[in-house]
Amino acid sequence: MRWLDRESPLPPEQERLLRILKLSEEAGEVAQAVIGAVGQNPRKGHSHSWDDVHSELCDVIVTAMVALRTLTPDARRVFEGNLARVAGRVPGPASRA
C-alpha cells in the first residue's frame, strides 16, 4: 500500500476517492467478460472465456481490498467482521429442508 501512496501524484483525499471509483471500472470489466463469455455482443461474438470472468472477479476483490485498506488501517478486522456478519445470515443445513 505504501508504494501506491508514494507513487501517486494526487492529494490523499483525491487518491482515496479514485481508489473507490476504480471498483466501478473493475466491475464493468467483469460485465464485459461475462457478455463476451456468453457471446451476447453479436459484433464481437465469444470474445472472452469464463476464466477471463474469474480473473476479472479477482481484480474486483483485490481492488476492493485496496480501497478498504486506503480507508482504514484496520481493513482486515473490518473485512473479517463483515464476513462474519454475512456468514451469520446464511441458513445452516437444518434450515434448508
Side-chain angles (χ1 to χ4, degrees), residues 23-85:
L23 279 168
S24 293
E25 178 187 1
E26 295 297 340
E29 291 175 12
V30 172
Q32 183 179 21
V34 169
I35 288 167
V38 299
Q40 182 61 33
N41 185 333
R43 196 172 42 81
K44 294 182 181 179
H46 289 271
S47 59
H48 292 75
S49 68
W50 286 104
D51 285 340
D52 294 325
V53 175
H54 302 165
S55 178
E56 296 298 345
L57 285 169
C58 289
D59 288 351
V60 169
I61 293 167
V62 170
T63 302
M65 290 306 294
V66 168
L68 181 59
R69 177 58 183 86
T70 298
L71 294 175
T72 177
D74 290 331
R76 177 181 291 234
R77 183 188 55 76
V78 170
F79 179 74
E80 288 173 350
N82 277 276
L83 189 59
R85 181 182 51 80

